[in-house]
Amino acid sequence: MNKFTISGSPHIKSDESTKKIMYGVVFAMVPAMLVSIYFFGFQAIRVLVLASIASLFFEWVIQKYLIKGPVTIDDGSALVTAILLAFNVPSNLPSWMIIIGALIAIGMAKMSFGGLGRNIFNPALVARVFLLISFPVQMTSWPKPEGFSIGLSDATTGATPLGIVKEGLGAGKTMSQLKPEIPTYIQDLMGQMGGSMGEVSAIALILGGLYMLWKKIITWHIPVAMLGTVVVFTSILWGIDSEHFADPVFHLLTGGMLLGAIFMATDMVSSPMTHGGQIVFGVGIGILTVLIRVWGAYPEGVSFAILLMNAVVPLINKGFKPKRFGLKPAVSKKS
Amino acid sequence: MGSKKESNFLNMVLTLSLVAIIAALALGGVYVVTKAPIALAKKKKLEAAIKKVLPEFDSISTKKFLPPGGGDSLTFYIASMKGKTVGSAIKTYTMKGFGGRIDIMVGMLNDGTINNTAVLSHKETPGLGDKMDIKKSDFSVQFRKKNPSSFKLKVTKDGGDVDAITAATISSRAFCDALTRAYDTFESQQANLNLDNK
Amino acid sequence: MEYFVIIIGSIFVSNIVLTQFLGICPFLGVSGKLSTSIGMGGAVLFVITIATMFTWLMQHYVLNPLGLEFMQTIVFILVIAALVQMVEIILKKISPSLFQALGVFLPLITTNCAVLGVAILTVQKDFNLLEGVVFAMSNAIGFTLAIVLFAGIREHLDIMDIPKQMKGMPIALLTAGILALAFMGFTGLV
Amino acid sequence: MNQLQNFTKGFIKENPVFILLLGMCPTLGVTTSAVNGLGMGLATTFVLVMSNLAVSLIKDFIPDKVRIPAFIVIIATFVTIVELSMQAYTPALFESLGLFIPLIVVNCIVLGRAEAFASKNNVLSSIIDGLGMGLGFAFALTLLGSVREFLGGGAIFGLKVIPGDLMLVFVLAPGAFIVLGYLIAIINRLRKA
């Protein structure tokens, strides 16, 4: 084993820098957290707390008793996964399902691969897709954001804007007929729309993204490539037929688009190493997202698209590896 | 014995032919033996589906009609009791299922009222779309004794009278589509069905 | 449009490996390295297309007219086995370079259930000859896509420190599972 | 090796699925329920035993060069016999196993045992080997089917243990890979202990 000379991304040199980055991400998620608590009330706190406790607990148990290695639950990575998981589910999801989600994210998607830095797929997204396919009813009953409430009783539920458009177009309606049913762009920006906890407010997410850019936790390449592709692709469709395709602004502001572009596609473990690779990665996510949103059976495609492109990352990294002088472009000179 | 046969050309051809002949004979034998039971099993399945969707009958005649909207022809099993028609079991289909084609047997009384339905084959998602099967949920019960002339074969979301399966609107729509195809064909072929309407 | 549905459907929506579970053995066995997986994909593409063509002709011009449909399995496997042999011999003569690239994979293909599976599915789905060939090629492309993606991931996993209980087959299966999860996003695309 | 060891090796020590990692397509494809897994396992067992028997009987008459084609014909014959019989007598199971019944013919276990064992051993040993391997395969498929059926629908062998659906993903394609992956990991660990 020459694991000391070759290792996958990210090339983290010390625990301290991991910690700094991870807690930076947590801090960047605070605005979105506050918005979700404001709109979904006590339920949002329940989901956030439960996801965090469960994720940290599973990480601790697995590191201590199954892998029998050092316990690193204080490096913040499990907390980031937990908050992202909470952001990706409806606020009224039953507690036991949140715990299952945490087990899948930490136990299956992260620890089975050996822990932080080795996972191929974004843990929170694996858990989200797992939950979506396992519990389709509960994962698609979105409580309406109605301002802070202390109650734990079921809030009224409604569809997400994407769901309304997909259903409506599927039933043969046109975009102008659907206009009154979907929220205005101002509401999208603030967060007054049905959806997963963390994805509702565009402003809060953008604030977090700007903070991470400023702190150099992320670079602009992936989000800009991804969002740019979505804008171009949907503009073309919208330009061809504005009655049967939603406009680009709608696509940008609704669903998990911004949450995915800013916080999940940029996850440095499961994204490409070079900037060139990151742009290819972002463009791929953008194209797949629009394909699934417009023609697929699921109204939202961001999480599927990111997972699919996660699988392509090893190939992208190969293609964009800085070539060493004199090395033939042969493919199989490993091990 | 003990040592293997040499691999010369004659040997190889002979052995292979012999093996092939024995295999063919064995297969032919098994085919003859199982032919009748296989036909019976298929007939039983079809009969069970027809029985499920229609009132009691003693004889059946089969006819095929093209649906007015185009597409493959539908098979009508027109059932009668003591010389009087009691209804038709229509083998209908839809291509609009989540997993593609769905085949459904619909029993229609002489006035077009749906007596009962039975899903013959589908590839819908387990736990969601497969709830159209009576074994999985009561979804299909709502169609019993409803006449499509007054009961709109559309899900409530599209302005119809059908309560869709939770989180499986596509499958529910497909189910309605298959039933509509059967009903439309039934209506358009009234003259050729020779039903005892009175 | 018809062909478009067949192509997208077989490559993405019901990917032969990740949703139909055909060709799992080479998918897990030959996906250790990127170069071999590409070679395997090419060989499968080649054989599946020819095999489907021949078995389709057998079915429609020999088995159906003679009422021998029940002999389908035995006839198809013999056609495939013979074809693989022939392809091997012909390739060796005509194109030694192609033979070098695909040769080692050819014997493995006889027992690749994707080949027999696609041949049978083509008959079951009532495709005409051209549709059948398009269907076969798309499935082979779907197979290649899955195995190449997977080989990339496995080369990457090789240099990772995987927990020892998960090393080898378990982590490969788990990765395939998550990949299958991601492919579910394509549901309903056509 | 005595016959008892010969019989039991297929269950644990050389289990075709968990240890030898053969026959993965039907293993993943049909195990949406315990009954399907068991049905597929038994069908494969029949083919294994019969083809092992036939191969060991005629092994001395077959020239080496046409060995494999002859084996394939023999196996395909028994597969077709299973196909026809299931269609006649267990039509429901035949339908739910679908494509994977004819595909027994390309199951590496069957040809593998014919080539590696039956063509070198006497009739009795070959039958016992086929039986042991087949039942080991059936055991693995039933176990996998039970786990998936339970996690996915809260039932075992069709009997509801927990009301309602559990995690649907386990009866779908991804669940097959995930459950088998973890089962093999657990078995690897148990073997080392």
Side-chain angles (χ1 to χ4, degrees), chain B residues 35-84:
Chain B
K35 196 175 173 184
I38 290 176
L40 191 71
K42 276 188 183 151
K43 203 172 139 213
K44 260 194 189 154
K45 198 189 165 201
L46 184 70
E47 270 178 3
I50 297 174
K51 267 199 188 123
K52 212 168 119 192
V53 298
L54 284 180
E56 218 182 315
F57 58 87
D58 55 19
S59 74
I60 279 184
S61 65
T62 310
K63 279 182 182 165
K64 281 191 180 220
F65 296 112
L66 283 172
D72 297 344
S73 65
L74 307 183
T75 313
F76 280 59
Y77 303 93
I78 303 159
S80 42
M81 182 76 176
K82 297 192 179 107
K84 282 209 157 206

Side-chain angles (χ1 to χ4, degrees), chain A residues 7-73:
Chain A
S7 79
S9 60
H11 299 274
I12 295 167
K13 296 295 185 303
S14 72
D15 287 347
E16 276 316 298
S17 64
T18 316
K19 254 189 196 173
K20 219 170 136 191
I21 291 172
M22 288 300 168
Y23 287 108
V25 177
V26 173
F27 185 74
M29 289 191 283
V30 167
M33 250 186 278
L34 292 177
V35 171
S36 69
I37 292 170
Y38 173 77
F39 280 119
F40 299 112
F42 194 71
Q43 290 279 34
I45 301 177
R46 175 189 65 103
V47 176
L48 279 164
V49 170
L50 204 58
S52 307
I53 293 176
S55 299
L56 290 170
F57 173 75
F58 288 129
E59 178 134 321
W60 175 74
V61 165
I62 293 169
Q63 286 185 333
K64 195 165 170 75
Y65 294 103
L66 284 175
I67 297 184
K68 300 198 173 92
V71 174
T72 56
I73 57 168

Side-chain angles (χ1 to χ4, degrees), chain D residues 41-52:
Chain D
L42 293 181
T44 312
T45 306
F46 171 80
V47 175
L48 253 170
V49 171
M50 296 310 283
S51 59
N52 261 10

Side-chain angles (χ1 to χ4, degrees), chain A residues 235-294:
Chain A
S235 300
I236 294 172
L237 294 175
W238 187 58
I240 294 170
D241 185 351
S242 64
E243 281 300 328
H244 293 99
F245 295 105
D247 59 86
V249 183
F250 174 82
H251 275 289
L252 273 191
L253 295 182
T254 56
M257 186 66 77
L258 289 171
L259 179 63
I262 296 169
F263 287 101
M264 291 185 298
T266 52
D267 168 26
M268 59 175 140
V269 179
S270 54
S271 60
M273 290 185 278
T274 60
H275 291 323
Q278 288 171 350
I279 286 174
V280 173
F281 180 74
V283 170
I285 295 173
I287 292 174
L288 286 170
T289 302
V290 178
L291 279 179
I292 295 172
R293 274 189 177 186
V294 174

Side-chain angles (χ1 to χ4, degrees), chain A residues 189-206:
Chain A
L189 281 170
M190 301 309 292
Q192 280 164 295
M193 58 175 177
S196 297
M197 266 174 56
E199 68 187 25
V200 292
S201 167
I203 288 183
L205 292 168
I206 292 169

